[in-house]
Amino acid sequence: MEIRTDAESTSFSSSLIAAVSYGIASMAMVFINKAVLMQYAHSMTLLTLQQLVTTLLIHFGRKMGYTRARGVDLATAKQLLPVSFFYNANVAFALASLKGVNIPMYIAIKRLTPLAVLIAGCFMGKGRPTTQVTLSVILTAAGVLIAALGDFSFDLFGYSMAFISVFFQTMYLVLVEKSGAENGLSSVEIMFYNSFLSLPFLMFLIIATGEFPYSLSVLFAKVRLLTLFFGSKLILRYHVLNVGIFCLLI
């Protein structure tokens, strides 16, 4: 009886840590994305660079033995093309919505995703969820509607982008669950395929829209300014330290 109690306590602690960690990471991601987009508006270039870095990190991590992700399989890649499309569409519309929607409303709208997943699951024959789950999701959706009615900085474009992002995120989650179960893929492998398959489309998109190469020149300029700013801070602190040491010696 005591062993069972200890196991339940450990499971509860692990679940609580996972929930808190997810909440912190999710909130930090939204605030960081909003801050970046306020200074750098080329969201598609950011998405392309993100996918490129993710692909390289997982690839070299597999080569160096840090992850057990398998290499690219052509048949699996063809099956995961829709997953990659919905993932990138979700991220692209989410970044676009952050340009016009304030952070509290963005978070509130994205909380509609569980309701959308619940409805999609019912249509796909996953079975009816429990009453407790249904009421929780409906209550969350009602809270979103109340918050939207009190949003005085209503931005139609931003709201539209956010709702479209919810739709694509729902389709992505449904397809990931299905493809992951059928192909036995891990989350790291699905992330690798998402990033790898999206690169050609994203690169074509930023070139066709004229965002590239101007967006890269702006990015390099901002990175250079940031480097100079932090460099000047370090130099200033170095001189202050030297003055302090000189005063102490005197």
Side-chain angles (χ1 to χ4, degrees):
M1 188 70 178
E2 293 181 359
I3 297 176
R4 186 176 179 180
T5 303
D6 292 340
E8 289 177 354
S9 177
T10 304
S11 176
F12 175 77
S13 300
S14 301
S15 300
L16 182 61
I17 292 172
V20 172
S21 301
Y22 173 80
I24 293 173
S26 178
M27 290 292 293
M29 182 177 66
V30 174
F31 277 95
I32 291 172
N33 284 339
K34 181 70 172 181
V36 170
L37 288 172
M38 288 175 65
Q39 300 296 325
Y40 184 77
H42 304 289
S43 57
M44 294 307 299
T45 299
L46 288 177
L47 180 56
T48 305
L49 293 174
Q50 173 196 333
Q51 301 295 50
L52 177 61
V53 171
T54 302
T55 302
L56 293 176
L57 283 176
I58 296 177
H59 173 72
F60 287 112
R62 179 173 61 85
K63 290 291 185 180
M64 299 173 67
Y66 290 113
T67 177
R68 296 181 180 179
R70 292 168 290 183
V72 177
D73 178 71
L74 187 59
T76 304
K78 289 181 179 179
Q79 292 178 357
L80 289 179
L81 268 175
V83 176
S84 177
F85 168 77
F86 284 117
Y87 172 82
N88 286 281
N90 164 45
V91 177
F93 281 99
L95 290 175
S97 69
L98 272 173
K99 296 178 183 180
V101 178
N102 57 64
I103 291 178
M105 279 313 307
Y106 171 82
I107 296 173
I109 293 173
K110 293 294 282 185
R111 296 288 79 82
L112 289 175
T113 303
L115 177 62
V117 172
L118 197 69
I119 296 172
C122 292
F123 280 107
M124 295 183 66
K126 289 184 62 177
R128 184 178 178 181
T130 62
T131 304
Q132 184 178 3
V133 171
T134 303
L135 289 176
S136 300
V137 172
I138 292 175
L139 185 62
T140 302
V144 173
L145 293 176
I146 294 172
L149 291 175
D151 184 18
F152 295 104
S153 60
F154 182 83
D155 184 278
L156 180 60
F157 176 79
Y159 268 71
S160 301
M161 295 297 100
F163 281 116
I164 295 174
S165 172
V166 169
F167 167 76
F168 282 121
Q169 185 178 11
T170 302
M171 296 306 298
Y172 167 73
L173 292 173
V174 171
L175 287 176
V176 160
E177 183 180 2
K178 184 179 179 182
S179 61
E182 289 178 353
N183 301 307
L185 297 174
S186 66
S187 57
V188 175
E189 288 171 333
I190 292 177
M191 187 183 300
F192 176 74
Y193 276 105
N194 275 340
S195 304
F196 175 76
L197 292 172
S198 64
L199 281 175
F201 171 73
L202 290 174
M203 294 182 73
F204 168 78
L205 191 62
I206 61 175
I207 293 173
T209 57
E211 189 171 307
F212 179 87
Y214 173 73
S215 57
L216 279 187
S217 62
V218 174
L219 181 62
F220 289 144
K222 288 187 175 293
V223 170
R224 184 170 177 272
L225 286 175
L226 193 63
T227 305
L228 291 174
F229 173 76
F230 283 108
S232 62
K233 286 282 186 180
L234 290 175
I235 292 172
L236 180 61
R237 290 181 181 179
Y238 174 76
H239 285 302
V240 170
L241 180 63
N242 284 342
V243 171
I245 293 173
F246 179 73
C247 292
L248 288 174
L249 290 176
I250 292 177

